[in-house]
Amino acid sequence: MIISTLLLLLRRSDVGTPSTASSAIDFLSICHRLKTTKRAGWVLRDIKDPESIADHMYRMGLMALIASDNPGIDRNKCIKMAIVHDIAEAIVGDITPSDGISKTEKSQLEQEAIDHMCKVLGGGLRAKEIVDLWMEYEANSSPEAKFVKDLDKVEMILQALEYESDQGKDLDEFFQSTAGKFQTETGKAWALEIASRRMKSD
């Protein structure tokens, strides 16, 4: 399997602690793959010119930026979390259930990928912040994580609505898969607005 082979090479690589500029550029070069890797769910449904992983994360960052303030939720932290929540996919790609990889294995692959990326970055406070944000999101262990999880779903169904409108696709499964799963009032309100617009477009 390509993913396993790639991670085996990563484990064998001997990444030292390069200079700050060198490590930053090395890290950003890995992140370039987020711009070129298409979101698998859309590829599997024959969407023309589907969004990249970076496209998805960027609009989530904008969502966090424009969202109303919520008591007990650090908006700046949400913006950061949105930017890094799928960052491991720069190495492992966008793994979906159709790949036949269990949630446990997927989590392990992504953990190894992000550990490698942060090693390339040279460790330190910024690398730790990225890992901490990613792990917090994965564990859904804070108000910010719950909010960003909602943004992830909202962005997906908004994109689905746009593909339905632009390409005449029926992407109802994406709406069904998120129904009743929003954890925050903002997530529920935005999802309801998207659903309302979808009904009007029928």
Side-chain angles (χ1 to χ4, degrees):
M1 182 182 290
I2 295 175
I3 293 174
S4 299
T5 303
L6 178 57
L7 287 174
L8 180 61
L9 291 172
L10 293 180
R11 292 188 195 113
R12 289 176 177 173
S13 65
D14 182 20
V15 180
T17 305
S19 67
T20 301
S22 177
S23 61
I25 298 305
D26 287 344
F27 173 82
L28 293 171
S29 292
I30 296 174
C31 292
H32 168 72
R33 297 170 196 162
L34 296 168
K35 297 169 64 176
T36 58
T37 304
K38 303 300 183 181
R39 295 256 286 165
W42 308 130
V43 173
L44 292 170
R45 285 152 189 85
D46 297 320
I47 295 296
K48 182 181 178 182
D49 192 25
E51 66 172 348
S52 69
I53 298 166
D55 292 331
H56 167 65
M57 293 197 297
Y58 175 72
R59 186 153 67 171
M60 280 179 62
L62 287 179
M63 288 175 166
L65 178 64
I66 69 170
S68 300
D69 290 333
N70 291 280
I73 295 180
D74 182 339
R75 189 164 58 95
N76 288 333
K77 183 178 180 182
C78 290
I79 295 170
K80 291 179 181 180
M81 191 176 287
I83 291 170
V84 305
H85 83 284
D86 277 342
I87 199 169
E89 294 180 12
I91 290 177
V92 302
D94 187 9
I95 299 172
T96 69
S98 63
D99 293 314
I101 296 174
S102 69
K103 288 185 177 180
T104 301
E105 185 181 0
K106 177 178 182 289
S107 180
Q108 181 181 348
L109 289 170
E110 291 181 344
Q111 181 71 65
E112 291 177 359
I114 199 164
D115 286 346
H116 171 76
M117 292 175 74
C118 289
K119 187 176 180 182
V120 169
L121 188 55
L125 293 177
R126 290 292 177 263
K128 183 180 186 304
E129 182 179 28
I130 290 171
V131 172
D132 289 348
L133 285 166
W134 182 84
M135 292 182 69
E136 190 175 312
Y137 175 83
E138 285 294 302
N140 197 29
S141 61
S142 68
E144 289 82 8
K146 290 176 171 56
F147 184 70
V148 178
K149 288 275 187 182
D150 274 10
L151 297 185
D152 185 49
K153 296 180 183 69
V154 168
E155 203 288 322
M156 182 181 73
I157 62 173
L158 177 56
Q159 185 64 75
L161 175 61
E162 291 162 350
Y163 285 145
E164 284 187 335
S165 175
D166 296 342
Q167 301 187 30
K169 297 285 187 177
D170 179 2
L171 300 171
D172 188 61
E173 63 188 288
F174 291 92
F175 296 91
Q176 294 298 328
S177 70
T178 59
K181 295 184 178 178
F182 295 94
Q183 305 173 85
T184 67
E185 292 307 312
T186 298
K188 293 172 185 176
W190 287 7
L192 184 61
E193 175 65 21
I194 293 168
S196 174
R197 294 185 181 205
R198 186 173 184 242
M199 288 182 64
K200 291 176 182 177
S201 66
D202 288 342

